[in-house]
Coordinates of all heavy atoms in Angstrom, one line a residue:
S110 N -110.2 91.6 234.2 CA -110.3 93.0 234.1 C -109.0 93.8 234.4 O -108.8 95.0 234.0 CB -111.4 93.5 235.0 OG -111.3 92.9 236.3
A111 N -108.1 93.2 235.2 CA -106.9 93.8 235.6 C -106.0 94.1 234.3 O -105.1 95.0 234.3 CB -106.0 93.0 236.6
D112 N -106.2 93.3 233.2 CA -105.4 93.4 232.0 C -105.9 94.3 230.9 O -105.3 94.7 230.0 CB -105.2 92.1 231.4 CG -104.5 91.0 232.4 OD1 -103.9 91.5 233.3 OD2 -104.6 89.8 232.1
T113 N -107.4 94.6 231.0 CA -107.9 95.3 229.9 C -108.0 96.7 230.1 O -108.1 97.2 231.2 CB -109.3 94.7 229.7 OG1 -110.1 94.9 230.9 CG2 -109.4 93.2 229.4
N114 N -107.9 97.5 229.0 CA -107.9 98.9 229.1 C -109.1 99.6 229.7 O -109.0 100.6 230.4 CB -107.7 99.5 227.7 CG -107.4 101.0 227.7 OD1 -106.6 101.4 228.6 ND2 -107.9 101.7 226.8
D115 N -110.2 98.9 229.5 CA -111.4 99.5 230.0 C -111.8 98.9 231.4 O -112.9 99.1 232.0 CB -112.7 99.3 229.1 CG -112.9 97.8 228.8 OD1 -112.3 97.0 229.3 OD2 -113.9 97.5 228.0
G116 N -111.0 98.0 232.0 CA -111.2 97.6 233.3 C -112.3 96.5 233.4 O -112.9 96.2 234.5
K117 N -112.8 96.0 232.2 CA -113.8 94.9 232.3 C -113.3 93.5 231.9 O -112.3 93.5 231.3 CB -114.9 95.3 231.3 CG -115.5 96.7 231.7 CD -116.7 97.1 230.8 CE -117.1 98.5 231.3 NZ -118.5 98.7 231.3
V118 N -114.0 92.5 232.2 CA -113.7 91.2 231.8 C -114.2 91.0 230.4 O -115.3 91.2 230.1 CB -114.3 90.1 232.7 CG1 -113.9 88.7 232.3 CG2 -114.1 90.3 234.2
H119 N -113.3 90.5 229.5 CA -113.6 90.4 228.1 C -113.8 88.9 227.8 O -113.0 88.1 228.0 CB -112.7 91.1 227.2 CG -112.8 92.5 227.2 ND1 -113.0 93.3 226.0 CD2 -112.7 93.4 228.1 CE1 -113.0 94.5 226.3 NE2 -112.8 94.7 227.6
F120 N -114.8 88.6 227.0 CA -115.1 87.2 226.5 C -115.2 87.2 224.9 O -115.9 88.0 224.4 CB -116.4 86.7 227.0 CG -116.5 86.4 228.5 CD1 -116.8 87.4 229.3 CD2 -116.2 85.2 229.0 CE1 -116.9 87.2 230.6 CE2 -116.2 85.1 230.4 CZ -116.6 86.0 231.2
T121 N -114.5 86.4 224.3 CA -114.7 86.1 222.8 C -115.0 84.7 222.7 O -114.0 83.8 222.8 CB -113.5 86.6 221.9 OG1 -113.3 88.0 222.2 CG2 -113.8 86.4 220.5
P122 N -116.2 84.2 222.4 CA -116.4 82.8 222.1 C -115.6 82.4 221.0 O -115.4 83.1 219.9 CB -117.9 82.7 221.8 CG -118.5 84.0 222.3 CD -117.4 85.0 222.3
A123 N -115.0 81.1 221.1 CA -114.1 80.6 220.0 C -114.9 80.2 218.8 O -116.0 79.6 219.0 CB -113.4 79.4 220.6
N124 N -114.5 80.5 217.6 CA -115.2 80.0 216.4 C -115.1 78.5 216.1 O -115.8 78.0 215.4 CB -114.9 80.9 215.3 CG -113.4 80.9 214.8 OD1 -112.8 80.0 215.1 ND2 -113.0 81.9 214.2
L125 N -114.0 77.9 216.6 CA -113.7 76.4 216.4 C -113.9 76.0 215.0 O -114.5 74.9 214.7 CB -114.7 75.7 217.4 CG -114.3 76.0 218.8 CD1 -115.5 75.5 219.8 CD2 -113.1 75.1 219.3
V126 N -113.5 76.8 214.0 CA -113.7 76.5 212.6 C -112.9 75.3 212.1 O -113.3 74.7 211.0 CB -113.4 77.7 211.7 CG1 -114.4 78.7 211.8 CG2 -112.0 78.2 211.8
S127 N -111.9 74.8 212.9 CA -111.2 73.7 212.2 C -111.8 72.3 212.2 O -111.3 71.5 211.5 CB -109.8 73.7 212.8 OG -109.8 73.1 214.2
K128 N -112.8 72.2 213.0 CA -113.5 70.9 213.0 C -115.1 71.2 212.9 O -115.5 72.0 213.8 CB -113.3 70.1 214.3 CG -111.9 69.9 214.7 CD -111.3 68.7 213.9 CE -109.8 68.6 214.2 NZ -109.0 68.1 213.1
F129 N -115.7 70.6 212.0 CA -117.1 70.9 211.8 C -118.0 70.6 213.1 O -118.8 71.5 213.4 CB -117.8 70.1 210.6 CG -119.2 70.5 210.5 CD1 -119.6 71.7 210.0 CD2 -120.2 69.5 210.8 CE1 -120.9 72.0 210.0 CE2 -121.5 69.8 210.8 CZ -121.9 71.1 210.3
H130 N -117.7 69.5 213.8 CA -118.6 69.3 214.9 C -118.4 70.3 216.0 O -119.2 70.5 216.8 CB -118.3 67.8 215.4 CG -117.0 67.6 216.1 ND1 -115.8 67.6 215.4 CD2 -116.7 67.5 217.4 CE1 -114.7 67.4 216.2 NE2 -115.2 67.3 217.4
R131 N -117.3 71.0 216.0 CA -117.0 72.1 217.0 C -117.4 73.4 216.5 O -117.8 74.3 217.3 CB -115.6 72.1 217.4 CG -115.2 70.6 217.9 CD -114.3 70.7 219.1 NE -115.0 71.3 220.2 CZ -114.3 71.6 221.4 NH1 -113.2 71.2 221.6 NH2 -115.1 72.1 222.4
S132 N -117.5 73.6 215.2 CA -117.8 74.9 214.6 C -119.2 75.3 214.8 O -119.7 76.4 214.6 CB -117.5 74.9 213.1 OG -118.5 74.1 212.4
I133 N -120.0 74.3 215.3 CA -121.5 74.6 215.5 C -121.7 74.9 217.1 O -122.9 75.0 217.5 CB -122.4 73.4 215.1 CG1 -122.0 72.1 215.7 CG2 -122.4 73.2 213.6 CD1 -122.8 70.8 215.3
E134 N -120.6 75.1 217.8 CA -120.8 75.5 219.2 C -120.9 77.0 219.5 O -121.6 77.3 220.5 CB -119.6 74.9 220.0 CG -119.6 73.4 220.1 CD -118.3 72.9 220.8 OE1 -117.8 73.6 221.7 OE2 -117.7 71.8 220.4
P135 N -120.3 77.9 218.8 CA -120.1 79.2 219.2 C -121.4 80.0 219.6 O -121.5 80.7 220.6 CB -119.4 80.0 218.1 CG -118.8 78.9 217.3 CD -119.5 77.7 217.5
A136 N -122.4 79.8 218.8 CA -123.6 80.7 219.1 C -124.3 80.3 220.4 O -124.7 81.2 221.2 CB -124.7 80.4 218.0
V137 N -124.4 79.1 220.7 CA -124.9 78.7 222.0 C -123.9 79.0 223.1 O -124.3 79.4 224.3 CB -125.3 77.2 222.0 CG1 -125.8 76.8 223.4 CG2 -126.5 77.0 220.9
T138 N -122.7 78.8 222.9 CA -121.6 79.2 223.9 C -121.9 80.7 224.3 O -121.9 81.0 225.4 CB -120.2 79.1 223.3 OG1 -120.1 77.6 223.1 CG2 -119.2 79.4 224.5
A139 N -122.0 81.5 223.3 CA -122.2 83.0 223.5 C -123.4 83.2 224.3 O -123.5 84.0 225.2 CB -122.2 83.7 222.2
H140 N -124.6 82.5 224.0 CA -125.8 82.6 224.7 C -125.6 82.3 226.2 O -126.1 82.8 227.1 CB -126.8 81.7 224.1 CG -128.1 81.7 224.6 ND1 -128.9 82.8 224.6 CD2 -128.9 80.7 225.1 CE1 -130.1 82.5 225.2 NE2 -130.1 81.1 225.5
Y141 N -124.8 81.2 226.5 CA -124.6 80.8 227.9 C -123.8 81.8 228.6 O -124.0 82.1 229.7 CB -123.9 79.4 227.9 CG -124.8 78.2 227.5 CD1 -124.2 77.0 227.2 CD2 -126.2 78.4 227.4 CE1 -125.0 75.9 226.8 CE2 -126.9 77.3 227.0 CZ -126.4 76.0 226.8 OH -127.2 75.0 226.4
L142 N -122.7 82.2 228.0 CA -121.7 83.1 228.7 C -122.5 84.5 229.0 O -122.2 85.0 230.1 CB -120.5 83.4 227.8 CG -119.5 82.2 227.7 CD1 -118.4 82.5 226.7 CD2 -118.9 81.7 229.0
K143 N -123.3 84.9 228.1 CA -124.0 86.2 228.3 C -124.8 86.1 229.6 O -125.1 87.1 230.3 CB -124.7 86.6 227.1 CG -123.9 87.3 226.1 CD -124.6 87.6 224.8 CE -123.8 88.0 223.7 NZ -124.4 88.0 222.4
Q144 N -125.6 84.9 229.7 CA -126.4 84.8 230.9 C -125.7 84.5 232.1 O -126.1 85.0 233.2 CB -127.3 83.4 230.6 CG -128.3 83.5 229.5 CD -129.0 82.3 229.3 OE1 -130.0 82.0 230.1 NE2 -128.7 81.5 228.3
I145 N -124.6 83.8 232.0 CA -123.7 83.5 233.3 C -123.0 84.7 233.8 O -122.8 85.0 235.0 CB -122.9 82.3 233.0 CG1 -123.7 81.1 232.8 CG2 -121.9 82.1 234.2 CD1 -122.9 79.9 232.3
F146 N -122.6 85.6 232.8 CA -121.8 86.8 233.2 C -122.6 88.0 232.7 O -122.1 88.7 231.7 CB -120.4 86.7 232.7 CG -119.6 85.4 233.0 CD1 -119.5 84.3 232.3 CD2 -119.0 85.5 234.3 CE1 -118.8 83.2 232.8 CE2 -118.3 84.4 234.8 CZ -118.1 83.3 234.0
P147 N -123.6 88.4 233.3 CA -124.4 89.5 232.7 C -123.9 90.8 233.5 O -123.3 90.9 234.5 CB -125.9 89.2 233.3 CG -125.6 88.5 234.6 CD -124.2 87.7 234.5
G148 N -124.3 92.0 232.8 CA -124.1 93.2 233.4 C -122.8 94.0 233.0 O -122.1 93.5 232.1
E149 N -122.7 95.1 233.7 CA -121.6 96.2 233.2 C -120.2 95.7 233.4 O -119.3 96.3 232.8 CB -121.9 97.4 234.1 CG -121.9 97.1 235.6 CD -121.9 98.3 236.6 OE1 -121.9 99.4 236.0 OE2 -121.9 98.1 237.8
H150 N -119.9 94.7 234.2 CA -118.5 94.3 234.4 C -118.0 93.4 233.3 O -116.8 93.2 233.2 CB -118.4 93.5 235.7 CG -118.8 94.3 236.9 ND1 -118.2 95.5 237.3 CD2 -119.7 94.0 237.8 CE1 -118.7 95.9 238.4 NE2 -119.7 95.1 238.7
F151 N -118.9 93.0 232.4 CA -118.5 91.9 231.4 C -118.7 92.5 230.0 O -119.8 93.1 229.7 CB -119.2 90.7 231.6 CG -119.2 90.2 233.0 CD1 -120.1 90.1 233.9 CD2 -117.9 89.7 233.5 CE1 -120.0 89.7 235.3 CE2 -117.8 89.2 234.8 CZ -118.9 89.1 235.7
V152 N -117.8 92.2 229.0 CA -117.9 92.6 227.6 C -117.9 91.3 226.9 O -117.0 90.5 227.1 CB -116.7 93.5 227.2 CG1 -116.9 93.7 225.7 CG2 -116.7 94.8 228.0
H153 N -118.9 91.1 226.0 CA -119.1 90.0 225.2 C -118.9 90.2 223.8 O -119.8 91.0 223.2 CB -120.5 89.2 225.5 CG -120.6 88.7 226.9 ND1 -120.1 87.5 227.3 CD2 -121.2 89.3 228.0 CE1 -120.4 87.3 228.6 NE2 -121.0 88.4 229.1
H154 N -117.8 89.8 223.2 CA -117.6 90.0 221.8 C -118.2 88.9 221.0 O -118.5 87.8 221.5 CB -116.0 90.1 221.5 CG -115.4 91.1 222.2 ND1 -115.4 92.4 221.8 CD2 -114.7 91.1 223.4 CE1 -114.7 93.1 222.7 NE2 -114.2 92.4 223.7
E155 N -118.4 89.1 219.7 CA -118.8 88.1 218.7 C -117.7 87.1 218.5 O -116.5 87.5 218.6 CB -119.2 88.6 217.4 CG -120.5 89.2 217.3 CD -120.8 89.8 215.9 OE1 -120.7 89.0 214.9 OE2 -121.1 90.9 215.8
P156 N -117.9 85.9 218.2 CA -116.8 85.0 217.8 C -116.2 85.7 216.5 O -116.8 86.4 215.7 CB -117.5 83.8 217.3 CG -118.8 83.8 218.0 CD -119.2 85.2 218.2
L157 N -114.8 85.4 216.3 CA -114.1 85.9 215.1 C -114.8 85.3 213.8 O -115.5 84.3 213.9 CB -112.7 85.5 215.2 CG -111.9 86.0 216.4 CD1 -110.4 85.5 216.3 CD2 -112.0 87.6 216.5
P158 N -114.6 85.9 212.7 CA -115.2 85.5 211.5 C -114.8 84.0 211.3 O -113.7 83.6 211.4 CB -114.5 86.3 210.4 CG -114.3 87.7 211.1 CD -113.8 87.2 212.5
A159 N -115.9 83.2 210.7 CA -115.6 81.8 210.6 C -114.8 81.4 209.3 O -115.4 81.0 208.4 CB -117.0 81.2 210.6

Side-chain angles (χ1 to χ4, degrees):
S110 53
D112 299 346
T113 59
N114 189 38
D115 61 0
K117 297 183 185 218
V118 183
H119 285 239
F120 294 87
T121 300
N124 60 24
L125 293 165
V126 286
S127 74
K128 305 280 174 209
F129 177 69
H130 69 287
R131 304 221 60 185
S132 72
I133 55 178
E134 292 173 35
V137 173
T138 300
H140 180 59
Y141 289 165
L142 291 175
K143 284 179 188 161
Q144 292 179 78
I145 295 170
F146 301 99
E149 53 171 0
H150 300 300
F151 306 109
V152 179
H153 295 275
H154 301 281
E155 274 182 58
L157 298 180

